[in-house]
Amino acid sequence: MVKAIMNGCNGRMGHVIVDIAEADNDISIVAGVDKFGENNYSFPTFNSIADVNVEADVVIDFSNASGVDELLDVCADKNLPVVLCTTGLSDDQLAHVNVASKKIAILKSANMSVGVNVLMKVLKEAAKALAGSGFDMEIVEKHHNQKLDAPSGTAMSLAEVINDAAGGDYEFVYDRSARREKRPEKEIGISAVRGGTIVGDHDVIFAGTDEVITFSHRAYSRAIFGKGAVEAAKFLSGKPAGMYDMSDALGLK
C-alpha cells in the first residue's frame, strides 16, 4: 500500500484525488496539507508541508505555484518523491525543480490524463511528417474562467512536443494584435480562451494547402486528472532520484 500526502487537499483537485484514492486498494491518503479550509477528512491535515509528521511514501501536489519552492525544499530534506501537478511555475522555479530532482524522484506533468499523454506521443509523429510538408501549426486551448495561468501548462507542453519533433527552431507566438504581416513559416501560434466552467479543451491544428488536420482532446471531468495523479503516485513511490513524466508512468516511451 502506497502512503501519500495530498498537498492542496481542500482544493477542487484535492477533493477529487482523495475520493479516487479511497476507492483504490493500492494507495491511501495518510495526510493532507492546505492553508485554507477546515479538516473534513479521516486523515490529519496541516497548514504547511513542513509541519507534516506522518510517515509517507510520496506527495501529490495540486496546489499553487507560490508554495512550490517550500514543497521542493521540504521533500528533498525528507527524501519524499513528489508528483508535481501545479502549473504556472516561473523559470526560477523550474530550475529549482531540476535541482531537487538530483535528490528525490519528481514526476512533473502539466496534464495528468491518459488521453493527453497519448496525444503527445501521436503529435510527435504528426509534426515530423507535416511540419516539413508546409503545414502551419496552431494550438487553441480553452479553460474555465477561474484558471489563473494562460496559456495552460498543457498547451505549452503540446507546443514543446511539436516544436521538438519539427526541428526545435519554431517561435511561440501568443498575440498577433500588434503585428501587421503575413504569418512567418517558423511559428507556432498559441491561443487561450477563458470562460464558464470549461474543464479543459485543447486543439492542435496542422493547416496545409487545401487541407487541415486537427487533433483534439476534451476533458469533461476533473476525475481524469485525478486518476492520472493517483497512478503517477503509485508509479513514483520507491523510484530513485530523477525527473519523470506521465509517459514513464504510462509506459508510453
Side-chain angles (χ1 to χ4, degrees):
M1 172 76 72
V2 173
K3 295 179 289 186
I5 296 169
M6 183 65 233
N7 192 44
C9 62
N10 289 324
R12 291 179 178 177
M13 284 307 306
H15 286 294
V16 169
I17 290 172
V18 169
D19 288 343
I20 292 171
E22 285 181 350
D24 192 316
N25 293 327
D26 297 322
I27 190 169
S28 175
I29 306 298
V30 295
V33 179
D34 207 299
K35 293 181 179 180
F36 308 102
E38 299 179 357
N39 176 16
N40 297 316
Y41 298 113
S42 59
F43 50 78
T45 61
F46 303 84
N47 290 327
S48 167
I49 187 70
D51 297 332
V52 178
N53 57 8
V54 178
E55 183 180 342
D57 303 308
V58 64
V59 175
I60 302 174
D61 172 63
F62 257 110
S63 57
N64 187 282
S66 62
V68 165
D69 290 303
E70 180 189 18
L71 171 71
L72 293 171
D73 288 338
V74 171
C75 288
D77 287 341
K78 294 185 176 182
N79 196 30
L80 269 173
V82 181
V83 177
L84 186 60
C85 307
T86 297
T87 60
L89 304 187
S90 67
D91 290 341
D92 287 343
Q93 287 177 313
L94 292 174
H96 194 177
V97 172
N98 287 327
V99 170
S101 71
K102 308 299 181 184
K103 299 180 180 179
I104 56 173
I106 297 178
L107 191 151
K108 180 183 176 298
S109 180
N111 193 300
M112 306 302 294
S113 81
V114 173
V116 164
N117 284 277
V118 172
L119 174 61
M120 289 182 181
K121 184 172 184 178
V122 172
L123 287 175
K124 291 179 183 179
E125 299 305 315
K128 288 177 185 177
L130 298 175
S133 300
F135 281 74
D136 297 321
M137 299 182 289
E138 296 279 322
I139 297 172
V140 179
E141 59 96 344
K142 305 172 187 176
H143 284 85
H144 53 87
N145 57 22
Q146 301 300 302
K147 186 170 177 60
L148 300 180
D149 55 316
S152 69
T154 299
M156 293 306 300
S157 294
L158 295 172
E160 289 164 2
V161 164
I162 61 178
N163 180 38
D164 290 345
D169 55 352
Y170 282 73
E171 177 188 4
F172 297 169
V173 176
Y174 310 101
D175 181 19
R176 297 188 176 97
S177 63
R179 293 165 42 181
R180 191 170 180 81
E181 61 185 36
K182 73 173 187 178
R183 186 188 193 279
E185 180 183 348
K186 295 290 187 177
E187 177 176 294
I188 298 174
I190 307 173
S191 303
V193 175
R194 295 290 175 268
T197 58
I198 302 170
V199 175
D201 291 0
H202 293 86
D203 294 318
V204 182
I205 304 163
F206 293 86
T209 302
D210 299 328
E211 62 179 332
V212 175
I213 302 170
T214 302
F215 294 88
S216 300
H217 181 271
R218 303 281 182 266
Y220 295 105
S221 166
R222 290 181 176 82
I224 64 171
F225 311 125
K227 291 175 183 176
V230 168
E231 291 305 312
K234 292 190 288 186
F235 164 82
L236 200 63
S237 176
K239 289 291 187 294
M243 285 297 303
Y244 301 85
D245 58 31
M246 281 302 291
S247 63
D248 294 307
L250 298 172
L252 296 175
K253 287 188 173 179

